């Protein structure tokens, strides 16, 4: 999500930091900052000016002192708004320790509370700043920076890539990671600068040889040397990675395009959205409650979910969960329709707007309309401080990180996860489900990212099925219950990136008209994973097969009955089984891959499909 760079040694530290940050620009970010070690002090500059914080930072850095080492950061806000005060690097109370962090610290609330109690002054709203103060406490015991960081890493829960400097240890950068990636290297020039980066592009101009740190490893960088040790302090050696890519390829990593990279990031996107919210003492859902109280949420008697496109499909999946777990009426509407009809809203209506960008005009206006009618407005967005988030009564952020491919993939999965968390949070708050039932569901939910990973690993098999349909111009997607929004999303992906007509129906509706279109050779893709309407879906598949349709099914591992509904064993997209209401998170994956492979087979640009924009700011 955030970008990290560190440089020690050589004569151009500041320039290298600024160039490295510019090379991380493709990830999208909302603020940027750096700290330089110079003449026994730390010099810090940060900027959050839109549209280009980096430009602002460059200007401030014109007055920077000559530096021997430094760390820099581009931020994509998760905790705390995107403003200068929340931008990294963060300092400790003395101003002699600085940290940069990528990831999410799960136990940040406890850490902050403890630090505040012992007299620290925390200047930001971030989860990250606590790390600087924890390092400060360790240093006060007389240990060196490496030992201090080692001790702090042992205290942190969650995901992090860290870079730490102290004014008292010139030319030294200490780095550590868990889950979030971190690379170290040495510059190719005579100066042999020690280099630190979250992504290869940041340091590609300086070296093509890097080492990737593993979980809970600590690296100490100095000019001409990189030492890696385990958390216990034992030396560690990793094989060097030789980077052969150009800059654009490096941005995409090992992937051919951003869409496949972002699909592969889906387990992390869902994990990041769940981290810190499913606590042993209960669920913590909302990040911001501007004008919303627990009392308001307890009093709600109707929920409206309002969104567009893939966000609408995520909302539709959540409707089933809200009705089941909360026993509350839940309506779902397309934002561009909702705002122009006369939805019946009042102070006990909760309107949930779902939007990855948080800027979609149709959804923004629908939220405004709902507020003007006195409803409580809650927004689920991937962008902190987006227009919708600012105007909402309460906000829950998905934490998928920036999505560059136009077709929503990882943000869509993160939205489903966030909506499920919201539904369970409301169930807890309203006492709608017994504690053990919530705990059981949470256990399932925690396991879902691994299942998404398993589904992703079957990409080659999906490509094989897709290869049979390269010339097919019409598809029917069928599903029932939560399989229906999965079918809708699969069909949308196919339309938008492969430019193929695809109609999605709740399978029971087919006989009311569309079945007239089924003839020998029509291709039908059925989401046949097990839910309460599986038997009925089976009959609907029979109806199309008996009219000569070619049937592809999404079936759960070991489910021979569902697989038998496919036209052949080569027409099955297998997925790992999961709990009914969480199954869309897994079942949609092969449909994304199916659309991707058909688009690629035609040589289409999957990242920039024709006629589409990533943020839709027109009606
Ligand atoms: C589909 C897609 C669009 C968006 C829709 C809403 O892949 O990306 O359908 O889902 O335009 O956008 P947000 O979520 O930004 O409001």
């Amino acid at each position: 999500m955030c970008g990290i760079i560190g440089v020690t040694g050589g004569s151009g530290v500041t320039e290298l930091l600024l160039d490295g940050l510019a090379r991380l620009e493709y990830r999208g970010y909302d603020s940027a900052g750096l700290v330089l070690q110079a003449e026994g002090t730390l010099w810090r500059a940060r900027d959050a000016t839109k549209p280009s914080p980096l430009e602002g930072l460059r200007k401030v850095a014109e007055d920077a002192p000559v530096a021997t080492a430094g760390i820099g950061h581009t931020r994509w806000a998760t905790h705390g708004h995107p403003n200068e005060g929340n931008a990294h690097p963060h300092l400790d109370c003395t101003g002699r320790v600085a940290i940069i962090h990528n990831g999410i610290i799960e136990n940040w609330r406890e850490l902050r509370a403890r630090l505040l109690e012992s007299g620290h002054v925390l200047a930001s709203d971030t989860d990250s700043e606590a790390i600087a103060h924890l390092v400060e406490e360790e240093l006060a015991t007389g240990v060196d920076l490496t030992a201090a960081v080692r001790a702090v890493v042992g205290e942190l829960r969650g995901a992090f890539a860290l870079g730490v400097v102290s004014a008292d240890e010139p030319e030294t950068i200490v780095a550590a990671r868990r889950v979030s990636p971190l690379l170290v290297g040495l510059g190719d020039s005579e100066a042999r600068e020690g280099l630190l980066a979250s992504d290869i592009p940041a340091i590609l101009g300086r070296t093509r040889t890097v080492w990737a740190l593993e979980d809970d490893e600590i690296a100490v960088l100095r000019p001409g040397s990189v030492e890696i040790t385990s958390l216990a302090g034992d030396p560690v050696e990793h094989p060097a990675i030789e980077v052969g890519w150009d800059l654009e390829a490096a941005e995409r990593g090992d992937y051919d395009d951003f869409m496949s990279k972002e699909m592969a990031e889906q387990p992390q996107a869902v994990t990041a959205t769940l981290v810190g919210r499913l606590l042993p003492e209960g669920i913590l859902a909302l990040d911001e409650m501007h004008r919303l109280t627990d009392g308001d949420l307890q009093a709600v008697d109707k929920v409206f979910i309002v969104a567009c496109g893939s966000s609408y499909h995520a909302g539709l999946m959540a409707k089933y969960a809200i009705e089941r777990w909360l026993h509350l009426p839940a309506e779902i509407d397309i934002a561009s329709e909702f705002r122009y009809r006369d939805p019946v809203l009042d102070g006990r209506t909760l309107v949930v707007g779902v939007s990855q960008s948080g800027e979609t005009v149709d959804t923004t206006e629908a939220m405004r309309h709902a507020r003007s009618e006195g409803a409580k407005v809650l927004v689920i967005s991937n962008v902190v401080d987006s227009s919708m988030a600012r105007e909402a009564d309460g906000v829950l952020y998905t934490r998928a990180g920036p999505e560059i491919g136009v077709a929503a993939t990882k943000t869509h999965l993160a939205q489903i996860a966030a909506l499920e968390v919201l539904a369970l949070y409301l169930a807890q708050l309203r006492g709608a489900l017994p504690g053990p039932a919530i705990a059981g569901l949470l256990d399932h939910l925690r396991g879902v990212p691994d299942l998404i990973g398993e589904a992703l690993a079957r990409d080659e098999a999906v490509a094989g099925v897709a290869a049979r349909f390269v010339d097919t111009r019409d598809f029917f997607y069928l599903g029932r219950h939560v399989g229906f929004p999965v079918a809708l999303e699969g069909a949308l992906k196919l339309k938008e990136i492969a430019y193929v007509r695809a109609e999605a129906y709740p399978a029971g509706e087919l006989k009311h008209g569309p079945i007239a279109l089924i003839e020998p050779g029509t291709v039908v893709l059925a989401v046949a994973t097990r839910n309460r309407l599986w038997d009925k879906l089976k009959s609907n598949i029979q109806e199309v097969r008996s009219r000569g349709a070619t049937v592809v099914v999404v079936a759960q591992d070991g489910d021979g009955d569902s697989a038998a509904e496919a036209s052949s064993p080569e027409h099955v997209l297998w997925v790992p089984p999961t709990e009914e209401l969480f199954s869309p998170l897994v079942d949609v994956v092969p449909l994304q891959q199916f659309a991707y492979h058909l688009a690629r087979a035609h040589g289409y640009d999957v990242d920039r499909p024709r006629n589409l924009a990533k943020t839709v700011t027109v009606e």
Side-chain angles (χ1 to χ4, degrees):
M1 290 185 216
C2 302
I4 278 184
I5 178 163
V7 179
T8 172
S11 55
V13 169
T14 310
E15 263 319 295
L16 284 184
L17 290 175
L18 289 167
D19 287 351
L21 292 177
R23 284 161 181 257
L24 293 173
E25 216 164 3
Y26 74 97
R27 300 163 56 117
Y29 62 95
D30 48 58
S31 54
L34 53 79
V35 149
L36 303 174
Q37 275 186 340
E39 296 151 10
T41 58
L42 297 184
W43 184 92
R44 177 170 70 166
R46 297 180 294 174
D47 200 283
T49 321
K50 286 177 183 151
S52 177
L54 202 50
E55 246 170 59
L57 192 64
R58 267 194 193 281
K59 282 206 188 87
V60 187
E62 281 168 12
D63 301 324
V66 176
T68 49
I71 51 178
H73 189 269
T74 53
R75 177 168 185 254
W76 170 268
T78 55
H79 295 72
H81 281 230
N83 53 35
E84 196 178 310
N86 287 333
H88 296 219
H90 292 289
L91 302 178
D92 70 335
C93 294
T94 67
R96 298 189 66 76
V97 173
I99 69 104
I100 46 176
H101 166 228
N102 175 22
I104 293 166
I105 304 299
E106 215 173 317
N107 53 335
W108 68 285
R109 284 190 186 82
E110 291 120 83
L111 294 173
R112 260 182 93 93
R114 199 187 82 203
L115 287 163
L116 288 171
E117 206 171 297
S118 47
H120 289 266
V121 178
L122 278 89
S124 76
D125 306 320
T126 63
D127 55 333
S128 312
E129 187 189 348
I131 300 166
H133 297 269
L134 292 171
V135 172
E136 173 191 354
E137 288 199 337
E138 291 298 330
L139 287 173
T141 67
V143 299
D144 68 4
L145 186 64
T146 312
V149 172
R150 200 184 298 287
V152 170
V153 163
E155 277 194 80
L156 301 178
R157 287 208 317 266
F160 51 83
L162 288 179
V164 188
V165 289
S166 155
D168 298 311
E169 294 192 33
E171 298 195 317
T172 305
I173 301 174
V174 181
R177 69 150 272 189
R178 187 183 301 153
V179 184
S180 305
L182 200 55
L183 303 162
V184 290
L186 286 174
D188 293 332
S189 72
E190 214 176 290
R192 307 283 288 153
E193 306 98 352
L195 301 167
L196 173 71
S198 52
D199 303 55
I200 288 172
I203 49 176
L204 198 58
R206 250 13 227 187
T207 184
R208 290 191 166 269
T209 311
V210 294
W211 292 270
L213 296 189
E214 304 235 327
D215 276 358
D216 287 331
E217 288 179 351
I218 315 285
V220 181
L221 293 112
R222 296 196 179 89
S225 85
V226 174
E227 285 165 28
I228 306 175
T229 49
S230 66
L231 191 58
D234 302 320
V236 176
E237 293 232 355
H238 289 304
I241 304 166
E242 294 299 332
V243 183
W245 312 315
D246 60 15
L247 185 58
E248 208 211 308
E251 289 173 350
R252 288 188 264 101
D254 279 334
Y255 299 92
D256 290 331
D257 37 63
F258 283 107
M259 184 177 172
S260 51
K261 179 169 186 273
E262 286 158 2
M263 286 197 289
E265 286 168 355
Q266 292 183 123
Q268 292 98 293
V270 171
T271 302
T273 302
L274 301 180
V275 157
R277 289 186 172 139
L278 315 184
L279 307 178
E281 58 274 27
I283 305 160
L284 267 180
L286 298 194
D287 295 292
E288 291 167 18
M289 285 175 96
H290 304 301
R291 288 171 296 273
L292 198 60
T293 63
D294 283 353
D296 292 332
L297 293 172
Q298 275 155 341
V300 161
D301 64 5
K302 182 162 67 173
V303 180
F304 267 102
I305 306 172
V306 182
C308 312
S310 294
S311 302
Y312 169 82
H313 300 155
L316 188 50
M317 292 164 191
K319 172 183 159 76
Y320 295 84
I322 293 172
E323 287 175 346
R324 169 94 58 88
W325 296 333
L326 293 167
H327 317 295
L328 267 182
E331 286 196 39
I332 165 103
D333 210 344
I334 303 250
S336 53
E337 289 296 317
F338 174 87
R339 53 185 287 215
Y340 290 117
R341 55 188 187 83
D342 301 302
V344 181
L345 309 167
D346 60 31
R348 295 182 69 187
T349 313
L350 178 67
V351 178
V352 182
V354 188
S355 171
Q356 68 81 21
S357 63
E359 302 292 344
T360 302
V361 162
D362 289 322
T363 318
T364 310
E365 290 299 329
M367 295 301 98
R368 284 183 186 151
H369 175 68
R371 278 201 69 207
S372 72
E373 295 287 303
K376 302 289 175 219
V377 170
L378 200 157
V379 159
I380 295 188
S381 169
N382 198 43
V383 181
V384 175
D385 217 21
S386 51
S387 308
M388 284 173 62
R390 274 199 306 272
E391 292 181 27
D393 296 317
V395 191
L396 195 170
Y397 290 114
T398 52
R399 301 182 191 130
E403 188 171 66
I404 292 163
V406 165
T409 52
K410 64 174 180 170
T411 54
H412 174 64
L413 260 65
Q415 286 171 342
I416 306 169
L419 282 156
E420 308 261 21
V421 169
L422 175 67
L424 287 169
Y425 171 67
L426 293 175
Q428 166 191 280
L429 196 66
R430 299 164 63 92
L433 277 180
I438 295 185
L441 288 164
L442 292 184
D443 273 348
H444 278 292
L445 192 50
R446 282 190 200 96
V448 167
D450 285 345
L451 300 177
I452 297 169
E454 273 185 49
L456 284 165
R458 301 168 186 192
D459 185 54
E460 230 179 277
V462 179
V465 179
R468 298 170 167 270
F469 300 103
V470 174
D471 297 321
T472 305
R473 302 306 303 156
D474 266 304
F475 284 83
F476 270 94
Y477 279 63
L478 302 182
R480 291 194 76 149
H481 197 258
V482 285
F484 169 50
V486 174
L488 280 171
E489 178 61 10
L492 179 62
K493 288 284 139 319
L494 198 64
K495 284 183 261 206
E496 63 183 342
I497 61 166
Y499 314 141
V500 173
R501 247 184 315 275
E503 295 212 44
Y505 276 98
E509 184 65 10
L510 212 61
K511 58 186 173 295
H512 299 289
I515 200 162
L517 289 169
I518 305 289
E519 56 187 13
T522 308
V523 180
V524 174
L525 214 148
V527 182
T529 48
R530 295 281 175 146
N531 63 38
R532 57 188 55 199
L533 294 185
W534 178 80
D535 270 331
K536 295 187 187 302
L537 175 76
K538 231 170 83 158
S539 311
N540 302 137
I541 298 177
Q542 291 295 332
E543 288 156 17
V544 298
R545 277 197 70 181
S546 64
R547 286 163 178 84
T550 301
V551 176
V552 177
V553 301
V554 180
Q556 285 165 336
D557 293 347
D559 183 357
D561 285 346
S562 290
E565 299 302 329
S567 289
S568 85
E570 281 73 46
H571 287 72
V572 183
L573 302 169
W574 292 105
V575 288
T578 183
E579 204 277 336
E580 184 181 68
L581 289 174
F582 301 137
S583 60
L585 283 158
V586 176
D587 299 352
V588 82
V589 170
L591 301 188
Q592 295 171 334
Q593 293 169 322
F594 187 79
Y596 174 85
H597 288 296
L598 280 188
R600 287 290 305 259
H602 288 284
Y604 299 141
D605 180 347
V606 291
D607 289 338
R608 287 176 221 91
R610 67 189 183 203
N611 305 341
L612 296 177
K614 188 70 189 158
T615 305
V616 185
T617 50
V618 290
E619 267 203 60

